Structures are given as C-alpha cells and as structure tokens.
Amino acid sequence: MQQSAVHIDDYILTERLMAGDPVARELIYDHYGPALYNIILEVIADNEKAENALTQVFVYIFNDAVAYRESGDITLFGWMRRVARQMALKVAVGELGDNGTMMNSGSLLLRFTMGLPEGIQTVFRLCYYKGLSKEAVARMLGLQPEEVASQLREAMIAFRKFLNN
Amino acid sequence: MELDHYIESGIIESYALGLATASEIEELQHMRKLYPELNTEIRMVERRMEMVALTEGVQPPSKLKDRIFQRINWDEEKDTKEKDKSNYTFINIQSRNQDYITVHKWWKLFFIMVFIVSKVCLFAAIYYYLKYQQSQEKSAQSSSQTEYRIPTK
C-alpha cells in the first residue's frame, strides 16, 4: 500500500495527542495504522489476534503518549514501531508453528531475513519474530550466548548495509 | 574513530528494531550524551525505516478503526465519571454569624427530656398545691364546727 511521504512533526503531534485531540488521533491512525499493522502481521499469523494487538497498540499510544516523551526515543514512529512489536509478541505468546512472516512476503525485513546465511537467519528469526533473548536462543540451538550475540551483530551489520542500499 | 566504529557495529539498527538489550540501550544513551551527532544518525535510520514501513503498510479492516476509537471514548467517559465523583463541591452549612454555636446532637434529646420533666414537675406542683388547699379548707371547716358545738353543752 502506497502512503504519502509527507512527514508530520513529531513534537506537535505528541503535544496534540497528550492534549487528547481527536483530530491528531485520527491523523496518526490513518497515517501509521497500515505500517504498524504490517509490523504486527510479521509476528502474528492469526488475523483476529493481529487486530487485537493493533487495538491495544493504539489504545496505548493514544492514552500514554507521554511515555514517548519520557522514553527519550528520537522519532515518534521509532517508538511506535517498538511498541507495536512488543505488543504483538505479547499477544502471540503460545502461538505454535510459523509466525506471520509469510503474510507480506514482499516486505523489506522479510527479504532481508531470507537473504541471510542459514545460521544467522535462524538466530535473527528467533530473536526478532519470536522475541526470544540471546540466552534462550543459545539454549535452543545448543550454542554459547556469545556466539548468538556475535551472529546477531553480524545480522545487524548486514541490515545496516541492506537499508543503505 | 570510536563513534564511526560504534555506528558501523549495527547498534542503531538493533535498537531501532527493538533487539538491543537493556545494557546496550544504556550504553547507547550514554554515547548519545557524549556524541550528540549520534542522534542525527539514529533519526536517519529510523526515518529510513519509517519510509519503508509506510510504503509497505497493510490496510487494517475498516471496522477496527471504529472499534479503537469507540474504546478510547469509553475509557475517557469512564475517567470523566470517576473524576466527577471525586470532584464534589463542599458546601459549608455553618453560619458565618459568630452568635451561633455548634453542639452535639445528643443535646437536642437532653433538652427535650428536661422540657418534659419540667412540665411534669409543674403539673405535679399545681396538683399538690390544689390538694393542699383542699385539705386546708377541710381542716378549717372541721375546726369551726367543733367550736360551734362546745357552747351547747
């Protein structure tokens, strides 16, 4: 889905959100809703659960916009993105089998994941899409936590290059 | 340069994706204080990811928007009602006139009892006074009759 590349001022938008401005809420939902929904679908396969997660994400964003200010995060979308992934992981707890990464096979992150070497790809999948800690991934794969940390670092260096290209 | 090496380690991307650990985040915040230019780099990475995310967005079902906004309205109405309950107006019913005093409610009962007892006492006093008068008259009558009979003997 093509969205307009118009950038909305984060500071003004947060001010309006904290004041409970319904116009600002609608603007945020219309502008960022599809992007956040896609981030959630990368983690959750079930549509109903994904909708439930998106509801929780927006209720949190609208009611606790002050948390963005307090977090010290730089961009509003960066903060919302992390909130959406965390909420999706929380809702997805107990989901068996593959996650929702097949929902949007053309997404940048999935294309990046598919291009990673097998070992690093497994580590990245478990850390990002399943939300597992490095220690948990190490136990699961029979590796040392340092090895997992090193592979994840390699993945992040590769992601930096991928994003720049 | 230390900063370049730090940036090239992919820490910003790790942070932006939400993969950085608590200690890595703490280190990043420390580095941001030492090198304010790091903020520009974080902003650039996040904006790049934002642009990609906006173009890849999946439209959520239209009913979801109504559901979210309805829930927000309910939450706000609930909050307003709770605020209204606690935000009552205190009305001072005490007179501003310093001629009045405030006493315990038991004093009301006490004064009623005193009033009833005083009335009973008043009626008793009148009753016994009248009785006393009657007895005085009777004794006066009986003594005059005795005086009248003596001379006939």
Side-chain angles (χ1 to χ4, degrees), chain A residues 1-142:
Chain A
M1 196 206 144
Q2 194 74 33
Q3 282 271 340
S4 68
V6 176
H7 176 247
I8 310 163
D9 188 276
D10 287 351
Y11 187 84
I12 296 170
L13 212 47
T14 318
E15 283 288 305
R16 299 313 311 150
L17 267 189
M18 289 194 296
D21 184 354
V23 178
R25 285 172 181 169
E26 201 149 345
L27 191 72
I28 288 211
Y29 183 87
D30 292 340
H31 191 68
Y32 294 114
L36 296 178
Y37 190 47
N38 188 40
I39 288 162
I40 290 168
L41 287 173
E42 286 174 344
V43 176
I44 304 174
D46 185 84
N47 277 350
E48 205 176 311
K49 280 187 178 180
E51 287 171 22
N52 184 24
L54 188 67
T55 306
Q56 289 184 46
V57 167
F58 275 107
V59 168
Y60 178 72
I61 290 169
F62 293 160
N63 288 336
D64 296 287
V66 70
Y68 161 59
R69 284 278 171 86
E70 289 169 356
S71 70
D73 286 354
I74 292 179
T75 64
L76 179 62
F77 179 75
W79 174 72
M80 290 195 295
R81 186 198 164 89
R82 286 183 282 276
V83 168
R85 179 176 164 268
Q86 281 302 320
M87 203 66 87
L89 289 170
K90 213 182 276 180
V91 172
V93 167
E95 264 204 0
L96 297 170
D98 209 352
N99 47 37
T101 52
M102 294 301 147
M103 294 294 290
N104 187 1
S105 56
S107 87
L108 176 111
L109 201 59
L110 192 63
R111 273 186 280 124
F112 161 73
T113 310
M114 300 301 272
L116 285 170
E118 203 180 325
I120 299 176
Q121 188 185 127
T122 308
V123 168
F124 182 72
R125 273 183 179 277
L126 291 171
C127 287
Y128 183 79
Y129 297 109
K130 294 289 179 189
L132 298 178
S133 67
K134 288 167 193 166
E135 290 73 21
V137 174
R139 276 198 301 275
M140 193 180 264
L141 301 177

Side-chain angles (χ1 to χ4, degrees), chain A residues 1 3 7 10 25-26 30-32 34 37 51 72-73 75 77 82 85 107-108 134 160 164, chain B residues 7 13-18 24 32 41 46-48 50 54-59 61 65 72 76:
Chain A
M1 196 206 144
Q3 282 271 340
H7 176 247
D10 287 351
R25 285 172 181 169
E26 201 149 345
D30 292 340
H31 191 68
Y32 294 114
Y37 190 47
E51 287 171 22
D73 286 354
T75 64
F77 179 75
R82 286 183 282 276
R85 179 176 164 268
S107 87
L108 176 111
K134 288 167 193 166
R160 181 171 174 78
N164 285 337
Chain B
I7 291 170
E13 287 71 17
S14 176
Y15 166 75
L17 286 174
E24 284 169 343
R32 278 173 65 187
E41 189 63 32
E46 288 193 342
R47 286 277 177 248
R48 220 170 285 153
E50 180 179 337
L54 289 175
T55 54
E56 290 178 343
V58 175
Q59 195 65 45
K65 186 176 178 179
I72 291 290
E76 280 179 352

Side-chain angles (χ1 to χ4, degrees), chain B residues 40-96:
Chain B
T40 314
E41 189 63 32
I42 296 172
R43 191 183 303 277
M44 273 168 60
V45 170
E46 288 193 342
R47 286 277 177 248
R48 220 170 285 153
M49 287 170 75
E50 180 179 337
M51 287 303 144
V52 172
L54 289 175
T55 54
E56 290 178 343
V58 175
Q59 195 65 45
S62 53
K63 61 173 183 180
L64 205 58
K65 186 176 178 179
D66 296 335
R67 200 204 294 172
I68 291 167
F69 281 83
Q70 209 166 37
R71 191 167 151 187
I72 291 290
N73 290 339
W74 283 341
D75 286 353
E76 280 179 352
E77 275 174 30
K78 204 174 138 192
D79 285 351
T80 314
K81 276 180 191 170
E82 276 171 13
K83 271 183 193 168
D84 285 348
K85 270 185 197 172
S86 58
N87 193 22
Y88 62 87
T89 310
F90 177 72
I91 300 167
N92 187 1
I93 55 167
Q94 275 195 322
S95 169
R96 281 185 295 172

Side-chain angles (χ1 to χ4, degrees), chain A residues 139-158:
Chain A
R139 276 198 301 275
M140 193 180 264
L141 301 177
L143 299 168
Q144 290 299 314
E146 294 77 25
E147 287 178 85
V148 172
S150 164
Q151 289 190 2
L152 197 59
R153 207 173 304 121
E154 272 185 59
M156 288 300 96
I157 292 168

